[in-house]
Each structure stands twice: as C-alpha cells, then as structure tokens.
Amino acid sequence: MSLRSQVKCALFLGASVFAYTSVAGTATAQESERRYQTITVTTQKTAESIQDVPIAVSAFNEEALDRLQLAGGPDLVRTIPNVTFTKGNFTGANFRIRGVGSDLVATSGDSGVGVHQNDVPLTANRLFESEFYDVERVETLRGPQGTLYGRNATGGVVNVITAKPVLEEWQGHLQVTMGNYATLRAEGMINIPIGETAALRVAGAHLERDGFATNTVTGNDIDDRDINSIRATLAWEPTDSLRGYFMYENFVEDDTRLRSGKQLCDQDPFMTSYAGIPIGQADQIYTSIGCQEAPLSESYDRLNTAASLGGGLAILAGLLDGNAATDPLNPNLREIESFIDPDYRADQTLYTWQAEYDLTDSLTLTYLGSHNESNIVSEEDYNKLIPSIDYNTNAGFGLVNLVGDPLTAEFLYQTLFPGGTVTDPQLGTANSLRSYDLSGSETSQTTHELRLQSDFDGRFNFNLGAIMVDFEANEAETIPASYYVFSNSLTAVAQLNNALGGAIFGGPTPLDTSGNGQGSVLSNLDATGRNYYRSISPYDLSSFAVFGESYIDLMDNLQLTVGLRYTSDEKTQENIAQYFFTPTNVISDPFEPTPTAEEPDGIYVREFEEVTGRIGLDWSPDFDFTDDTLIYAFYSRGYKGGGINPPQPSGNQSAFPQVFDPEFVNSYEIGTKNTLMDGALQLNATAFYYDYEGYQMTQIVNRTSANFNIDAEIQGLELETMWNVTDNFVLAANLGLLDTEIQNSSAIDVLNRTNGDQNFVVIKNPQTYSNCVVSAAGYATILGAIQAGALAPGSTGGLCLGSFVGLEGVFNPLLPAGAFTPFEGFEADLSGNELPGTPDMTLNISGEYIVDDIFQGWDASFRGDYYYQGETFSRVWNTGHDRLDSWDNVNLSVRFTNDEMGVYVELFGKNVMDEEVITGSYLTDDSSGLFTNVFLTEPRTYGITVARTW
C-alpha cells in the first residue's frame, strides 16, 4: 500500500468500544445516516477490516483514543475485555492479557505481552510512562503471538502505529488540555510535503501537572509529571514500487513520579514470653517478622523496624534498642512520610527505518530496522516512614553485647556516632534511621527484520519473516543501572566493623566515600561501596527467529491458516556477586564476574530454542440473519524463553536454581464476528482455553528476586458489541469472563512459613535478617537454657544459624533429633488457586449521544463510559492479605465540534466518582520486614481540551 493511498479512518471499532462520526452513505444506509466504520488494521501484515481478521483484536485510532480518554497504555484496560494493568515495584509495570503478563523479576526475563511500535519489538519501552500522541492506531491482540510478529509473546501484543507523513499535503494539528492539579498538556503535529515524492511529519507532546500525592515531611506534592516527547518521520516514495521512512523519537521524563506507593503493614509485635518462659530484650528482637498476615484493609500499622535489616543492624551498632516506628500510620493512601521527595528520570531515543519494495504486483519485500536506547532511574525513601524514636545518645545493649564491655562500647559509640549521629557519605548526617533505594537500568537494542508477503489472486498466499534482535542491559560499571538499598545503619555497621579491625565481617569493608551526603543519592555514588546493597546482572540477548503463515482458500468462504516459528535465544548474564558487607580480601573488584561451580568464568550462557506455531480455520458463511459473519477456530502453541536468575545471596550459594525454565501454552480458541441490522449492530464473541506449562513467577529469597515456574489452566469468554440505536445514539459494551487455576504446585508463603502448624515457630536470622523455622520444642529449650543462665541472652539468634544442630541430647535427652535444625518452612498447596491479577469479570459499557447543529454549525456529543473489574489476588497464595477488592470507574465528557472550522472543545472528567483503587501490591522480603507496597489508580481529574486540525 503506497503512502499516497494510506487508508484514513475517521473512527474505530475495536469491537470493544467505539468512536463515532459522520460517514458517507452505503448500499444499506442513507447518505444522511451515521454508521460506525470499522477500522483497518494490519494485524496479519496486510490492510484488512478488523471484522475480517480471524483474531481477537481491539484497535483504536487517534480520534477514538481522544474520545475514550485513553491517554496511555494503562488506560487500555478500560476498553478491552480480560486486560488488567498495575505498576511494578521497581521501574516496570505488568500489563496482562487473559491473565498472562510479567510476574517475574529478572533482567533476562521476557515479557508475556509484547510491546511493539510500528511492528518493532521494544524489550525496554515507555508504555507505562508515556502518553499517546499523533498515532494512526493502537492495536491489541489477545492470545499467543509468534507467527505474525518478530518477537514472540504468550499473552498477546500491543502495537502502537504512529501516524506517517502524507505526501503532497500540508497538514497540522494543535491540541491543548488544562485541568485540575494544574495540568497542562499540549500536543501538535505538522506535515510538510517535500516535492511530490517525500514528506516530513513532526509531532510532539508536553505534559506537566502537580502531584497526586503529598509528602507530609517536606510539605511538597509529589507524584507529579513533567514529560516531553518529540517524533520526526521522513517518508520517501521515489517510485510506485518503492517506499520507505525514517523515524526519530525521543521521550524524556524528569519529575517526582512515585515508583512504589504507600507501605502497608499489620505490625508483628515482639513476643515477651513463649510456653510460659519470659523472653528478654536481647531475644525479643528475633521474634518479630516485621509485618504479619492480614488483609490490606486491616494493615494500617508501621513496620516493626527491628525485624528489618536496617533496623536490626541499628540495634547491633547500639543505635536502637528495639522498634523505632511506634506511632500509628496515617491511613491516607495518598500521603506518605519521606525524608526526601522521589526523583524519577527516564529517557528513550528510538530510531526506526523501513523500506518496502514491490518485487511484482503480488510480492512485497519489507525491511524494518530499529535502534533503541533507554535509560531510567528512580530514587525514593525505602521505608516511607519517619521513626518515632531517634538514635540513642549513648550506646545501646546491642553494641555492649557485641563488644562485651560497657565502657569500651561507649567509647566506640561516641567516637563513631557522637550523641547518636551517623554520618553517611550517601545519605548525609542524621540521628535517626534513614533508608533509601534506587532502581535504574540502561539498555540498548538493535533489530533487523525482513518480511516477504504475497497478494496472489489464487487460493494461496503467505507471509514470511525473519528477525535478529541484539539487546544489552546494565553494564557492571554503569552506576545507575542497578538496584540499590541504602541505610545509615548499614553504613554505621560498616564503620563499626572497620573500627574493630574487620572483626564483624572477617575483614575491612570499605565505604563509598565519593560523596558528601548532599543532594541526590546518585550524585554521591561510585557503586563500589560495601556499605550498601547493590544488585546488578549485566545481560546480553542475541535472538534469531524465522516465522510465517500460509493462507489456503479451501473454498470461497473457508480459509485454512498454518503458521510456524523457530526461535533461538542466546542469553548471557554476568554473575556479579552481591558485595554488600563483603571484605576486600573476599571480593577485590566488585565489577568482575564471580566464578561459580557451574561457570568458572562467572558468566552464564544459556540458549533456548523452540519451534511453535498455529493452525486454524475461518469461515464466512452467508446467513440470512446477518449482513456479514466470520467464524474461526484456532490452535496455537505459545512460547516464552527461560532465563537466568540473579546471583545467589551471599552465604547461601544454592538458595534457588540459577536458571528458570521457559513457558509454554497450548491455546484453543473459537470466535465469531458479526455485522447485523444493515450495519447498525456488531456482535463479536470469543471463547478460549489455555493449558499453561511453566508460568514464570518471582519470589524474594534473602533480598534477591528468584524466579520459579508453575503450571496453570486458563479459560474465558469475551463478548463485544456496538449498536447504533438511532441515527444519533450509539451504545457499546464488552464483557470479559476469566477463570484461572494453578495446577500441581506448592511453595512457601513467607507470611506463613509454618503453614499454620503450631509445633513450629518463625524467628529471625541475626546475620542475614531472613526468617527461618525451628521446632517449638527446640525454641522453648533454648529459651529455658537462657533463663537458667546456661546460655547468654540473645542466644536464640543462633538457631537460624544452625549453632545448636546435633546438640539436642545435650540440652534435653527427650528432644527428638532435628529439633534444633532450622529450615525455610512448609510449602503450601497452590493447586486450585488463581493466578495473580486475574479478575473473574471485566465489564465496559459506553454510550454517546450527538445533537446536530446545536449552534451555528457546532455539533454536541455527550458521552459516558463505565468500567468494572472484579476482585483479584496479588500473589499465588490467595490469602486474605493478597485479596484486592473489585472496583469501578466512570468517565464523562461533553464535546462541541465544528467540522467546517476543524475545531472541537471538550469538557471531561475521569474517575468522576473519585474511587481510590489498589490495582496491585508487592510484598517485600524478610530482611525488609515483609511490608507491602501498594499501587493506586489516578484520582478524579477534570478539565477542558481545545483542538484545531487543518
């Protein structure tokens, strides 16, 4: 299709929601009537009406995006059945289609839903942060993809098609929005013809607004936006058979976006006695896990800081004697406590180039190339709480017990931390517990794709492709490309260790002294310090795939589709060990890969290969009761490669498997698309069943995100309809029903390691601050020995360290063997549980009414959109803590349009009922105290938009 003759659609039909405008009369409609016009998509790499594509797909052109108030990727959930979205805990997000998304955390992990722009797969992308502007359409395909797109995906694909230059036409567009929260959004486009064969299209967008949340410490509003985007596309069509374009796009964000929201906790208090035996202060600190199992609606406490690594080590250094957060939690989810305001910076530069050449009238060869550079860094207060208790002015019991002499302890304390003041080269000087984290990445990707497509007049056609993807992420020497946790208590312990000649950690632990604690943490960092936690996994992907589909017309109205794909992914990851508190005599160069038994050079190289495909029939029968009908049935084999877990935690080199397995899905789908009532009604339905093998999930193990595989079954139904009730009134609705069930799987719930067995207890490891399980009898025996004076106070901390293993008979001849043996816990049966983020129902109902010529050529349209999402779970254990309530959303708008002037004015309101919704949550690890970060929808927003097109 030439650039001159690109199809220009004034509205959309994704068969899920609608836009609406005047169109020319057809054989079944009078010229004065309005009918929706189905959007043309290129899902199968050729221009087709969406109603003729035998795939569950929703598509929205730019007018539809505006009318439906779909500002960016997260808003798509309100218009597509069985789609959900939530932010992630780090700098990512989880966009799920039919329950399949990205529930793993790994640099080497692939997304379950592929994000593409102009068919280019973007491993790192800004779908979560950016907003749509100057797009031709946004397509969302539901179900496994691999034979149509260059990069395979098990859940589906979101493909953003940007508007391309139009030859021989001057065009322009300017749009400005102003609203509450001091919102100012502007976007514009100009299309400049260059002779008869070329054109340049330049578009840009700017968004700024105040924050949706408040930092009650600084008094500033946070979670604001300051985003700028620009795109320039140069198209050239020197002949009727040769055409192409080159595109440059840049996205920049610099604001206080909240990466993680409010932290919720049902505080786990210290035990003061057990089995009638009193527990002293030195042993109480090991009895709390920080936060305990409870519904989020009952989790409005602060973390028991003694159960966290930062708070626990503050006790060891004598800075604290127990929990530092004793005040009640402010229950307002949009108010946080933070010593610093968040700092969020993202930058992406994308180059795309494409050339099409018609080899013959029926064969087209396409080359598509791209290069993408993406950087992101986010800095926040890790605990988002202001301690109720400052650091001790004199040495606390932890330091006294460590040194063994009160006078020596006090001398050390006042020398290192005078009056309870800690000087941290990253965080500055303070006399209370402060903990920050920084999450960042830097990636680079280059792709080359070739496609050959036929358009024969006969019964056979095909679409063949091949793609190469080279992706690099997070070089070890790149300072922001890591995940860090900082705390002044960690620095204090490193200083204490060095003052004691390395007695705590077996050698000196140098501090990062490159900064002075002023300004941002990033500006005080060289990434070599042993006084903070850093996790980085330098990663390279080299991927090659060949794919294609053949289309055979068995009859005039019956087509057979057969698709195949071969994928080869070579994944390379350097094993950069965690050097937090690690002496220089153990790891001298923190940027060098650490050898392992499996990989002596410290570099893991794994190749994942697979052949997948799909086969199906689509039938276009001629029924008396429909204008057009399409019925299709397909089987697909979906695949997503495995990956490499981060380095093992220090002290436990076999905490989890180093490699996690691929995902496979056997998908069975049947659907129908129908046009009825002389084009006034469209009714589509899809039913599907997935047999899922090895769905990839993450769980924190001793401060490390380790990934595992589980099996599941997924089935569902999707109904989509649009109805022109009258010439001026249109209704649309979509319904998604979803049932997910985990199969034959079990795992330890870190909030319930004993799995309810009262014969065991959970206590804290005093070295790693992870939790362990020991027998209740063994724990009571050690407590009794402490009370009797046979053991020193604090000796219960030795249970998780294995200090008493094999000594059961020494303490009590009646104790069974293994009573002192620590272990991780009991696995809970997950069979029958739901996958995370999979509501049993999503529902959208929309209506629009148009009043013609309300005033001197101005038309008015009144629109309302309602969305409902059923309750979900945030984790596979499906406990009360994991339950996320159902929610709904109402958007309203009134638009005044003057087609002759090319102007419209719109008054809008989003989330007009101001529903405060938790869309997802993230449970932290044992050493953080098991608090939960929650992620929210946006509050009520309203404003006015003015646009002019010429």
Side-chain angles (χ1 to χ4, degrees), residues 314-327:
I315 294 173
L316 175 68
L319 296 164
L320 292 170
D321 292 320
N323 180 20
T326 57
D327 290 342

Side-chain angles (χ1 to χ4, degrees), residues 659-942:
V659 176
F660 54 91
D661 293 331
E663 292 183 1
F664 297 93
V665 56
N666 294 306
S667 167
Y668 306 86
E669 183 169 332
I670 184 170
T672 180
K673 299 183 177 183
N674 302 275
T675 304
L676 306 93
M677 299 172 58
D678 293 334
L681 176 67
Q682 287 195 355
L683 179 62
N684 298 351
T686 308
F688 58 91
Y689 170 80
Y690 293 172
D691 179 13
Y692 221 105
E693 306 169 27
Y695 189 71
Q696 295 162 356
M697 308 288 297
T698 192
Q699 184 176 359
I700 298 291
V701 179
N702 195 11
R703 300 188 299 274
T704 300
S705 294
N707 299 282
F708 304 89
N709 300 82
I710 61 174
D711 297 336
E713 290 183 358
I714 303 174
Q715 55 189 335
L717 176 68
E718 295 159 353
L719 300 174
E720 306 163 291
T721 186
M722 175 187 286
W723 179 28
N724 277 70
V725 182
T726 68
D727 185 33
N728 288 12
F729 183 37
V730 181
L731 290 174
N734 69 62
L735 172 69
L737 301 177
L738 189 65
D739 178 66
T740 65
E741 189 172 293
I742 297 172
Q743 303 290 308
N744 304 319
S745 298
S746 60
I748 297 171
D749 181 0
V750 294
L751 281 173
N752 184 16
R753 288 182 177 272
T754 65
N755 205 21
D757 192 329
Q758 299 299 313
N759 294 309
F760 296 86
V761 296
V762 179
I763 56 175
K764 184 68 65 176
N765 183 316
Q767 290 185 356
T768 64
Y769 275 77
S770 59
N771 300 325
C772 80
V773 175
V774 297
S775 73
Y779 181 63
T781 298
I782 297 299
L783 284 176
I786 294 171
Q787 186 184 34
L791 291 174
S795 292
T796 55
L799 282 166
C800 282
L801 301 176
S803 302
F804 305 106
V805 172
L807 300 178
E808 290 84 358
V810 174
F811 285 88
N812 185 346
L814 299 180
L815 274 181
F820 290 153
T821 301
F823 59 102
E824 296 290 325
F826 296 101
E827 293 189 342
D829 185 10
L830 304 179
S831 302
N833 288 1
E834 297 180 13
L835 288 172
T838 57
D840 58 1
M841 184 172 78
T842 61
L843 173 67
N844 169 259
I845 301 174
S846 305
E848 185 169 354
Y849 183 74
I850 292 182
V851 180
D852 293 321
D853 200 16
I854 194 170
F855 177 75
Q856 295 185 354
W858 289 82
D859 297 337
S861 62
F862 303 86
R863 180 179 181 84
D865 295 271
Y866 172 79
Y867 174 74
Y868 168 84
Q869 184 180 118
E871 70 175 25
T872 63
F873 293 97
S874 61
R875 302 187 308 148
V876 294
W877 288 272
N878 290 191
T879 65
H881 170 275
D882 303 336
R883 188 181 302 276
L884 302 176
D885 292 338
S886 61
W887 58 280
D888 53 12
N889 180 88
V890 176
N891 291 346
L892 300 173
S893 65
V894 180
R895 176 178 288 203
F896 302 94
T897 305
N898 189 309
D899 289 330
E900 185 175 342
M901 297 172 60
V903 175
Y904 77 79
V905 179
E906 182 176 72
L907 304 174
F908 66 88
K910 298 178 68 173
N911 187 17
V912 296
M913 305 304 292
D914 201 21
E915 295 289 335
E916 192 171 68
V917 177
I918 297 176
T919 60
S921 66
Y922 181 87
L923 179 68
T924 55
D925 78 314
D926 293 345
S927 67
S928 296
L930 298 173
F931 62 79
T932 299
N933 289 327
V934 297
F935 313 107
L936 307 178
T937 55
E938 295 184 350
R940 175 170 51 222
T941 57
Y942 52 85

Side-chain angles (χ1 to χ4, degrees), residues 310 391 424 427 433-436 485-492 531:
Y391 283 155
D424 187 304
L427 309 186
L433 180 63
R434 297 194 178 191
S435 301
Y436 303 161
V485 178
F486 309 89
S487 178
N488 59 4
S489 67
L490 308 186
T491 295
N531 57 310

Side-chain angles (χ1 to χ4, degrees), residues 486-684:
F486 309 89
S487 178
N488 59 4
S489 67
L490 308 186
T491 295
V493 171
Q495 292 170 333
L496 178 61
N497 173 72
N498 295 337
L500 294 174
I504 300 176
F505 301 118
T509 50
L511 275 64
D512 178 347
T513 57
S514 61
N516 59 9
Q518 303 299 311
S520 69
V521 174
L522 186 59
S523 65
N524 292 281
L525 193 61
D526 69 8
T528 64
R530 314 302 170 98
N531 57 310
Y532 45 71
Y533 170 84
R534 185 195 192 202
S535 175
I536 185 169
S537 298
Y539 168 67
D540 291 339
L541 167 68
S542 180
S543 178
F544 173 75
V546 290
F547 55 92
E549 290 192 343
S550 62
Y551 312 101
I552 304 169
D553 293 336
L554 302 177
M555 301 170 58
D556 289 343
N557 63 355
L558 181 64
Q559 183 180 78
L560 170 67
T561 298
V562 179
L564 282 175
R565 177 187 183 89
Y566 165 76
T567 303
S568 174
D569 292 340
E570 183 180 274
K571 299 186 175 185
T572 303
Q573 182 170 296
E574 296 180 21
N575 185 61
I576 305 296
Q578 300 167 14
Y579 47 90
F580 169 52
F581 285 162
T582 303
T584 51
N585 60 328
V586 177
I587 296 179
S588 58
D589 185 351
F591 299 147
E592 282 295 314
T594 302
T596 67
E598 290 180 279
E599 304 296 341
D601 62 354
I603 299 176
Y604 286 87
V605 180
R606 295 292 184 271
E607 186 168 357
F608 301 93
E609 292 183 299
E610 197 63 36
V611 175
T612 55
R614 73 176 190 132
I615 185 170
L617 294 168
D618 61 274
W619 178 40
S620 303
D622 186 8
F623 291 140
D624 293 337
F625 56 88
T626 68
D627 303 332
D628 293 291
T629 291
L630 174 69
I631 300 172
Y632 59 92
F634 276 84
Y635 163 77
S636 301
R637 174 72 165 173
Y639 163 77
K640 187 176 81 168
I644 305 165
N645 274 316
Q648 300 286 339
S650 55
N652 185 358
Q653 293 302 302
S654 58
F656 44 78
Q658 193 60 59
V659 176
F660 54 91
D661 293 331
E663 292 183 1
F664 297 93
V665 56
N666 294 306
S667 167
Y668 306 86
E669 183 169 332
I670 184 170
T672 180
K673 299 183 177 183
N674 302 275
T675 304
L676 306 93
M677 299 172 58
D678 293 334
L681 176 67
Q682 287 195 355
L683 179 62
N684 298 351

